[in-house]
Amino acid sequence: MGQGAYIFGCEGPRLDKREAAFFRESDPWGYILFARNVEAPEQLYRLTNELREAVGREAPILIDQEGGRVQRMRAPEWREFLPPLDQIEAALRRGDEEAAARSMWLRGRLIADDLVSVCIDVNCAPTLDVARDETHPFLRNRCYGTEADVVALMGRAMADGMAEGGVLSVMKHMPGHGRGTVDSHLGLPRIEVELDELVDDFAPFKALKDLPMGMTAHIVLDAVDPEVPATQSDKVIGLIRDEIGFDGLLMTDDISMEALSGSVLERATRSLKAGCDLVLHCNGDLAEMDSLATLGHMTTAAQTRADRALEMRKPPVGIDIREAQAELDSLIE
């Protein structure tokens, strides 16, 4: 029998008995951690192990460790990184695209080193949205460039670096959030351009369609489905599967974000019906998670994609971490 069609978080830095019992019963496919769950290396190592013990398997544990503003594990215990766009622009000033891509590979490898030290094996990165003049500030410097081919090159380097360090990627936000002028945590962005203009937004995801996992955008694309956010649109999910060609595990962005309407259960039900494989629920609210547990197991197709994704987990390939940090510094200083 498959696992639950949801990814859950816990409330704080320690797993309490209620949560452990709930996770044992509901059997989420995986977990996601946030800053509220992070205090120190020893504490985080203990928490990740307790989360896996609750479901009795090596469940994937996700985090948003993009670097820059979106970085849940921070100094002094872990490395700090520039916002991705700032790092890439700094590397381009010192060298060429190849040097910038090398800097992103090193970034991915160093981030993976931090994550695997506390048994986290999935990072919600790379962010493959193409930055534009109108991109909302909540997203812009989290992007990897202003041109689709550069975004694809940098995203591939980041994903490869993480994979070499033993960490799987979740590319986001499919099929492209860069034209959004509203923060989807607070409202629903609407993109009012023709389909032929959106091809540029899709291109980085198409180039990296072999990555194991992807995350949807809470955004309305008028040219594809003017009625429903991408996360809940069978037309947009169909585009992700057919036009972009992504056959990996597809999860929603956080189902609690204000871009979506209705109860969390209504939002999740619409998303799964539209073709998402998994619902991502991030705030650790036990009552909300209890309602989502009624969604039941993943579909057979979703479970197959999930199993295929986890088969790509590999042990880290050895590297001199100190030398890697020094090389990164030399490329962007």
Side-chain angles (χ1 to χ4, degrees), residues 122-135:
V122 182
N123 193 15
C124 296
T127 302
L128 299 183
D129 307 306
V130 180
R132 304 182 184 279
D133 291 342
E134 68 268 27
T135 303

Side-chain angles (χ1 to χ4, degrees), residues 8-12 19 23 36 281-289:
F8 287 155
C10 57
E11 190 174 20
E19 290 174 321
F23 293 145
R36 67 176 186 269
H281 182 270
C282 295
N283 65 22
D285 183 294
L286 196 56
E288 289 187 2
M289 292 189 291

Side-chain angles (χ1 to χ4, degrees), residues 259-281:
L260 304 180
S261 60
S263 69
V264 290
L265 181 57
E266 289 167 341
R267 299 175 188 192
T269 301
R270 293 186 201 120
S271 302
L272 294 178
K273 186 177 180 182
C276 289
D277 294 318
L278 283 167
V279 171
L280 178 64
H281 182 270

Side-chain angles (χ1 to χ4, degrees), residues 249-318:
L249 185 68
L250 187 64
M251 65 189 71
T252 71
D253 202 346
D254 182 9
I255 208 71
S256 300
M257 288 161 62
E258 294 304 312
L260 304 180
S261 60
S263 69
V264 290
L265 181 57
E266 289 167 341
R267 299 175 188 192
T269 301
R270 293 186 201 120
S271 302
L272 294 178
K273 186 177 180 182
C276 289
D277 294 318
L278 283 167
V279 171
L280 178 64
H281 182 270
C282 295
N283 65 22
D285 183 294
L286 196 56
E288 289 187 2
M289 292 189 291
D290 192 46
S291 73
L292 291 177
T294 63
L295 293 168
H297 298 110
M298 284 187 279
T299 65
T300 300
Q303 187 70 56
T304 298
R305 293 188 188 105
D307 293 345
R308 192 168 64 223
L310 294 189
E311 285 171 3
M312 296 175 72
R313 289 189 293 196
K314 304 294 182 189
V317 176

